[in-house]
């Protein structure tokens, strides 16, 4: 019985939202707010990752004879590249989701348009 309640409780909590699917303004506002935050943070994160990559590159170049410093520079460069990828990937995912739900940056909703032939 407890297992059944654990499975049915989330359904009962979501049921009112599904019944009023046309009135999910809070969801559109939430996604719009997340998109605004991500759009503000992505340039900052890309800048930090780019600086980290360039710092690792400079450290790698200036440590020409020292293998340990070169390995450290290489690790910093890889972390910068991973950071660049992660920041751009998060930004892209948010943009795809907001486009799929028809949400503009300001949080306003535009209905999806049928494809034109």
């Amino acid at each position: 019985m407890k297992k059944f309640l654990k499975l049915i409780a989330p359904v009962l909590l979501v049921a009112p939202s599904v019944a009023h699917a046309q009135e999910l303004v809070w969801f559109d506002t939430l996604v719009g707010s997340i998109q605004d935050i991500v759009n503000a943070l992505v340039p900052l994160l890309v800048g930090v990752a780019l600086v980290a990559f360039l710092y690792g590159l400079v450290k790698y170049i200036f440590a020409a004879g020292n293998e340990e410093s070169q390995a450290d520079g290489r690790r910093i460069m890889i972390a910068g590249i991973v950071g660049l990828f992660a920041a751009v990937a998060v930004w892209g995912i948010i943009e795809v989701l907001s486009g799929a739900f028809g949400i503009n940056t300001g949080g306003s909703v535009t209905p999806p348009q049928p494809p034109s032939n």
Side-chain angles (χ1 to χ4, degrees):
M1 183 68 176
K2 286 185 179 182
K3 195 177 225 183
F4 176 73
L5 288 176
K6 285 182 181 178
L7 291 175
I8 198 72
V11 173
L12 292 176
L13 290 173
V14 175
S17 295
V18 173
H20 297 287
Q22 295 297 323
E23 300 174 13
L24 287 179
V25 176
W26 63 270
F27 180 74
D28 298 332
T29 305
L30 175 69
V31 173
S33 297
I34 291 171
Q35 184 181 15
D36 290 341
I37 291 169
V38 168
N39 283 341
L41 287 178
V42 165
L44 177 69
L45 294 176
V46 167
V48 168
L50 186 62
V51 167
F53 174 77
L54 292 175
Y55 174 72
L57 181 66
V58 168
K59 189 169 186 169
Y60 182 80
I61 290 172
F62 285 124
N66 190 349
E67 292 292 324
E68 186 176 315
S69 292
Q70 281 186 333
D72 191 35
R74 198 176 307 121
R75 276 194 301 273
I76 294 171
M77 285 191 297
I78 290 171
I81 290 172
V82 169
L84 281 169
F85 176 78
V88 173
V90 167
W91 174 75
I93 289 170
I94 295 295
E95 288 295 322
V96 166
L97 288 176
S98 66
F101 289 115
I103 299 170
N104 295 331
T105 303
S108 62
V109 177
T110 57
Q113 301 296 322
S116 60
N117 294 344

